[in-house]
Amino acid sequence: MADIDYKRITLDGLWHNNQALVALLGLCPLMAVTNTAVNGLGLGLATTAVLLMSNVTVSGIRHWVRAEVRLPVFVMIIASFVTSVELMMNAWFHELYRILGIFIPLIVTNCTIIGRAEAFASRNPVGASAVDGLAMGLGSTAVLATLGAMREFIGQGTLLAGAHLLFGDVARGWEFSLGDNYQGLLLAILPPGAFMGLGFLIATKNILNKRASRSAQKAAQSMPAQAAEA
Amino acid sequence: MAESAQRPWLSATIAAGVLGIFAVIGAALVGVSYVATADRIAQNHRDMLLAQLDAILPRSEYDNALLDDHIDIQAPASLGEGSIRIYRARKQGQPVAAILSPVVANGYSGRIELLIGIRVDGSLAGVRVLSHKETPGLGDKIDVEKSPWILGFAGRSLDNPPEGKWKVRRDGGVFDQFTGATITPRGVVAAIKNALIYYRSNGSNPFETASTHKEGDNG
């Protein structure tokens, strides 16, 4: 593997093979914690940290772990990292830890992580695996934060409420609010709002993809014509 | 792997060994993280608890180490049947207030855990919701972040309003229910009333028992 296409790996993670919008993995936390942008972002970043560490570790040991025990080994590695991340969030992001609650330990069950370990990290060098983990994690985080922002804005008329839980006291003034007169649309906060919001995001991505491929086709058709004129 | 095919026990042993090594490494990682974070986590728990207690009883009203002066009681059925911790606030040795945590109320969707502070004269110092699973936008108005409703209990006692009026308006009492949610406030009002009754029937007992606080006990 002389040349690794880092750009392709990054784009796959962020867009083409986005774990939340394309692979539709890790939807349980996606539905559960995205009632505000900060909650979504917090869990997304925790997941990204675990994904990055597990991908690097799995890749680093890929020549030593025998095929028949690889899955238990991967699960053990992931569980250890998740527990460590949970303890650290409890120590340094205590309020956010209390809000996210059970969904931090449940990162263990996020199929994205074991999926990337098995499908990518166990077959690729450490550098590529690190980029893959980071890109896949950030791709999911972007979806979590976007969905959280949508539901927060429609549901309770605020954006970035509680930003200080994640970014410290400097972020106390970041909250944007429509004011107390906004009644809020309860549906957006309740679980159905998460399904609908995710549906809209997936639809938007598909529309964008279709447009991109159409304009690529047009460009391909007009290219020979131009060549003929010349 | 022709070699391991001839000796399957060797292959299995190596696999088990690899698994075992990673189990040890994983456990070590978790152990190191635990040791590194334990003090901070304990401190966070104390800060959190103290912030909750501060909201109910200002620190100027007592001078003892409130977090360390507590007893655990077995709750009667009316308070949720779990273990309840009672923090005792004193000023110059004299009882000021008892804070019960948690008192369990029956909500629309499960347990509502309440923190209830009761002064020695039997009036409420304050009530806060510790945790609940009520419907967002409807029953969650019991949370002080969403509505000031819960603040209305401060200063109330079994004489104010009289015991028979400790109900939501719909049931003939004096406390507001919420639009679209009656069961939640009904449960909370009943739990607070039960806590007051429990306190009245136990008099000064909670203040006289020796504290069960042990070193390294973080509430």
Side-chain angles (χ1 to χ4, degrees):
Chain A
M1 298 215 197
D3 49 327
I4 298 157
D5 191 349
Y6 288 108
K7 192 182 165 201
R8 195 183 55 79
I9 296 174
T10 309
L11 284 179
D12 274 352
L14 293 178
W15 186 256
H16 299 302
N17 190 21
N18 186 299
Q19 294 294 290
L21 294 184
V22 179
L24 298 182
L25 290 178
L27 294 190
C28 162
L30 192 80
M31 299 299 169
V33 306
T34 54
N35 40 19
T36 71
V38 170
N39 290 358
L41 194 60
L43 192 76
L45 291 178
T47 309
T48 305
V50 172
L51 192 51
L52 177 62
M53 293 189 289
S54 74
N55 257 16
V56 168
T57 312
V58 166
S59 172
I61 60 169
R62 69 188 188 280
H63 298 304
W64 296 307
V65 177
R66 305 173 77 89
E68 56 268 48
V69 290
R70 72 182 191 284
L71 285 178
V73 168
F74 294 169
V75 170
M76 213 137 54
I77 290 169
I78 294 167
S80 311
F81 282 134
V82 168
T83 310
S84 300
V85 166
E86 185 195 359
L87 285 166
M88 286 172 199
M89 287 188 75
N90 192 347
W92 282 284
F93 299 98
H94 189 67
E95 281 183 70
L96 190 63
Y97 167 83
R98 286 176 62 100
I99 293 172
L100 296 179
I102 184 69
F103 292 99
I104 302 174
L106 278 182
I107 293 174
V108 173
T109 64
N110 189 325
C111 300
T112 303
I113 298 174
I114 189 84
R116 294 324 289 171
E118 169 72 5
F120 195 96
S122 63
R123 294 156 198 194
N124 287 285
V126 174
S129 300
V131 173
D132 179 76
L134 201 60
M136 289 289 168
L138 291 179
S140 295
T141 304
V143 176
L144 280 160
T146 310
L147 189 56
M150 280 165 49
R151 293 177 66 194
E152 182 185 350
F153 189 72
I154 299 171
Q156 59 184 47
T158 62
L159 264 183
L160 288 174
H164 63 279
L165 304 181
L166 194 57
F167 300 104
D169 283 334
V170 283
R172 276 190 191 278
W174 291 4
E175 182 178 340
F176 168 83
S177 175
L178 286 177
D180 293 336
N181 290 329
Y182 184 74
Q183 289 294 310
L185 183 66
L186 193 54
L187 180 67
I189 294 288
L190 295 175
F195 283 94
M196 290 180 201
L198 184 67
F200 280 120
L201 286 180
I202 295 173
T204 309
K205 182 182 183 299
N206 288 347
I207 290 171
L208 290 176
N209 278 357
K210 220 168 248 175
R211 283 218 183 126
S213 68
R214 211 177 291 153
S215 60
Q217 267 177 5
K218 263 184 200 160
Q221 282 169 357
S222 62
M223 203 76 89
Q226 280 169 0
E229 280 168 28
Chain B
M1 297 213 177
E3 180 199 353
S4 56
Q6 288 160 9
R7 290 184 287 177
W9 57 269
L10 181 66
S11 170
T13 310
I14 294 175
V18 169
L19 196 56
I21 290 168
F22 280 102
V24 171
I25 295 173
L29 179 70
V30 172
V32 169
S33 309
Y34 176 79
V35 172
T37 54
D39 288 348
R40 236 192 121 90
I41 291 173
Q43 186 60 40
N44 283 340
H45 281 292
R46 286 182 75 90
D47 289 349
M48 195 69 136
L49 197 55
L50 208 52
Q52 286 167 342
L53 296 178
D54 280 349
I56 284 185
L57 194 67
R59 284 190 209 186
S60 57
E61 293 198 23
Y62 60 90
D63 58 9
N64 61 328
L66 189 54
L67 285 186
D68 300 337
D69 190 354
H70 59 72
I71 53 170
D72 294 324
I73 59 155
Q74 192 56 41
S78 64
L79 300 185
E81 287 188 326
S83 170
I84 294 184
R85 179 157 285 187
I86 302 182
Y87 296 94
R88 288 97 50 98
R90 308 168 197 268
K91 190 148 196 171
Q92 288 160 355
Q94 292 301 308
V96 172
I99 301 176
L100 285 67
S101 169
V103 172
V104 176
N106 292 317
Y108 181 69
S109 35
R111 294 159 58 98
I112 301 172
E113 296 194 345
L114 301 169
L115 186 67
I116 301 181
I118 306 174
R119 293 179 197 281
V120 275
D121 64 2
S123 68
L124 284 164
V127 183
R128 288 294 181 283
V129 173
L130 293 172
S131 70
H132 72 86
K133 297 192 212 62
E134 300 305 296
T135 319
L138 296 174
D140 72 343
K141 294 197 182 78
I142 52 171
D143 192 337
V144 74
E145 306 243 312
K146 310 277 177 185
S147 149
W149 181 78
I150 199 94
L151 302 176
F153 288 99
R156 299 278 189 178
S157 69
L158 286 178
D159 302 321
N160 169 32
E163 223 174 305
K165 290 280 185 182
W166 268 88
K167 295 170 184 163
V168 292
R169 280 187 207 281
R170 176 173 293 178
D171 301 339
V174 302
F175 297 102
D176 288 331
Q177 62 265 358
F178 310 133
T179 316
T182 308
I183 293 171
T184 309
R186 186 184 279 155
V188 172
V189 169
I192 298 173
K193 178 187 174 189
N194 289 336
L196 286 171
I197 291 172
Y198 172 82
Y199 183 79
R200 183 178 63 186
S201 57
N202 282 273
S204 59
N205 290 340
F207 291 100
E208 282 156 10
T209 324
S211 173
T212 48
H213 178 76
K214 293 181 286 290
E215 209 50 49
D217 179 348
N218 292 303

